[in-house]
Amino acid sequence: MWEAIKKAIETEDCFLLCTHRDPDADGVGSQLALHHALRRMGKSATVLNPDTLPHALRFLDPEGVVVGFDSLSPEESARRLDQAERIFFIDAGIWRRLGPLMGPAVQARADKVLIIDHHPSEGGAPAGSVQRESASSSGEMVYDLFESMGLPLDERTAFCLYSAIAKDTGCFRFENTTHRVFEIASRLTRFDIGPHHIYDYLFERWSKNSVVLLGQVLGTLAFAYDNRLAWISMTRRMREETGVPVEDTENFINIIRSIDPVQACMFFRETDDGKVRISLRSKTPQVDVNLLAGKFGGGGHKRASGVQIKGELDEVIRRVVEAAAEYF
């Protein structure tokens, strides 16, 4: 499974690691763990992501390793991509997940890209890539890569990988939490990584203004299909008035996910560029939100997906809610 990636790591010297736009702790934790391992091996490694690292994830990168493609000149971005002998694209397998600027730039160098991802494959991945939907997270996959290569863990890699896995398993609450996940977590916690601190960083960092904004967003709560579908929405004005960064609203959808008898839920957020970003979650196998997101050019997992749609908020809500009718 890992042959091409292992060969690249063993024989090449200069690497660039990237993950999808609007990054999460799984993508960033996985790439930083691999970056640290490569540097320990004496390799040159750079982390270049579509976006500057959001404040909520900076606990993973106290050294400031992650560089945002949006912060560099086109010439410098191209230089870094060209300099790399190998590019690892982690936690996504679709070029558009790198955004409208970085996506084409990386795709143009597809001959040296290898993907490590746990999302459903849409085909077209470079030969030698590893895409395993059965894995809980990209963090689990990078751990397996380390194990297959006999690479030793240390406190830094353990911290990053535990953070990655904890995020994508909902801190070991989601159905992707397998016995393998617990085995890995047990090995990672042999290091002094402070799982309680990681949980705090990932799930319990709410500012006063975030709670105020949450109250406004919950005021938009609506239902359809016998209360089995629920959604909330956030306007640009709400966010601007409270001054809350977009990344600090990621957990809002989990509030309505717990409502009974809701089977699926959605969170609509106006962006600054005339689009609406939508997070989708499902609580039942009967509702595949990955397929629903795919109708609008998005994707993810059966139980958790996302998409961005250009248009007015109310119109986008109407279109997506109507498209969900077939599941109910």
Side-chain angles (χ1 to χ4, degrees), residues 189-201:
T189 52
R190 293 173 186 173
F191 296 90
D192 185 21
I193 61 174
H196 57 297
H197 292 307
I198 293 173
Y199 178 84
D200 180 60
Y201 279 122

Side-chain angles (χ1 to χ4, degrees), residues 187-248:
R187 293 168 188 166
L188 296 176
T189 52
R190 293 173 186 173
F191 296 90
D192 185 21
I193 61 174
H196 57 297
H197 292 307
I198 293 173
Y199 178 84
D200 180 60
Y201 279 122
L202 292 176
F203 300 105
E204 292 197 336
R205 290 294 173 105
W206 294 76
S207 68
K208 174 185 173 183
N209 283 357
S210 294
V211 176
V212 171
L213 178 57
L214 174 62
Q216 295 178 12
V217 170
L218 289 177
T220 71
L221 179 63
F223 299 89
Y225 311 120
D226 299 321
N227 297 324
R228 290 178 291 165
L229 176 67
W231 67 92
I232 49 178
S233 58
M234 182 178 72
T235 65
R236 286 178 59 191
R237 182 176 178 180
M238 288 179 186
R239 184 168 55 82
E240 289 169 354
E241 287 179 347
T242 55
V244 176
V246 172
E247 61 266 18
D248 287 359

Side-chain angles (χ1 to χ4, degrees), residues 172-321:
F172 313 103
R173 294 179 296 116
F174 298 158
E175 66 179 359
N176 59 351
T177 306
T178 63
H179 72 280
R180 174 63 174 165
V181 168
F182 282 121
E183 287 176 355
I184 294 171
S186 175
R187 293 168 188 166
L188 296 176
T189 52
R190 293 173 186 173
F191 296 90
D192 185 21
I193 61 174
H196 57 297
H197 292 307
I198 293 173
Y199 178 84
D200 180 60
Y201 279 122
L202 292 176
F203 300 105
E204 292 197 336
R205 290 294 173 105
W206 294 76
S207 68
K208 174 185 173 183
N209 283 357
S210 294
V211 176
V212 171
L213 178 57
L214 174 62
Q216 295 178 12
V217 170
L218 289 177
T220 71
L221 179 63
F223 299 89
Y225 311 120
D226 299 321
N227 297 324
R228 290 178 291 165
L229 176 67
W231 67 92
I232 49 178
S233 58
M234 182 178 72
T235 65
R236 286 178 59 191
R237 182 176 178 180
M238 288 179 186
R239 184 168 55 82
E240 289 169 354
E241 287 179 347
T242 55
V244 176
V246 172
E247 61 266 18
D248 287 359
T249 67
E250 294 294 334
N251 288 324
F252 285 11
I253 193 170
N254 294 324
I255 303 297
I256 64 170
R257 187 178 182 274
S258 62
I259 299 172
D260 188 32
V262 167
Q263 296 177 344
C265 55
M266 302 184 289
F267 181 22
F268 298 84
R269 289 170 287 180
E270 281 187 327
T271 67
D272 295 331
D273 57 358
K275 296 180 181 178
V276 178
R277 183 187 302 175
I278 311 163
S279 299
L280 305 97
R281 300 290 184 269
S282 171
K283 295 167 63 177
T284 172
Q286 284 69 47
V287 183
D288 185 338
V289 292
N290 182 46
L291 291 178
L292 178 58
K295 294 178 183 292
F296 299 94
H301 298 285
K302 293 179 179 179
R303 298 297 186 90
S305 288
V307 63
Q308 289 194 63
I309 303 175
K310 190 172 183 61
E312 296 295 325
L313 180 61
D314 290 343
E315 176 61 18
V316 170
I317 291 174
R318 182 192 65 78
R319 289 171 56 198
V320 177
V321 170

Side-chain angles (χ1 to χ4, degrees), residues 12 69 79 89 201 322:
E12 295 169 354
F69 192 89
R79 186 192 69 80
F89 182 15
Y201 279 122
E322 287 182 358

Side-chain angles (χ1 to χ4, degrees), residues 48-53 67-74 77 101-102:
L48 182 64
N49 289 342
D51 314 298
T52 301
L53 193 66
V67 177
F69 192 89
D70 58 357
S71 69
L72 301 177
S73 68
S77 300
L101 298 179
M102 189 171 179

Side-chain angles (χ1 to χ4, degrees), residues 13-16 44-46 75-87 109 112:
D13 294 311
C14 188
F15 298 85
L16 185 143
S44 171
T46 299
E75 294 77 18
E76 177 61 16
S77 300
R79 186 192 69 80
R80 295 191 185 204
L81 290 169
D82 289 336
Q83 186 180 45
E85 295 175 77
R86 184 66 57 183
I87 299 172
R109 299 162 174 84
K112 59 181 181 181

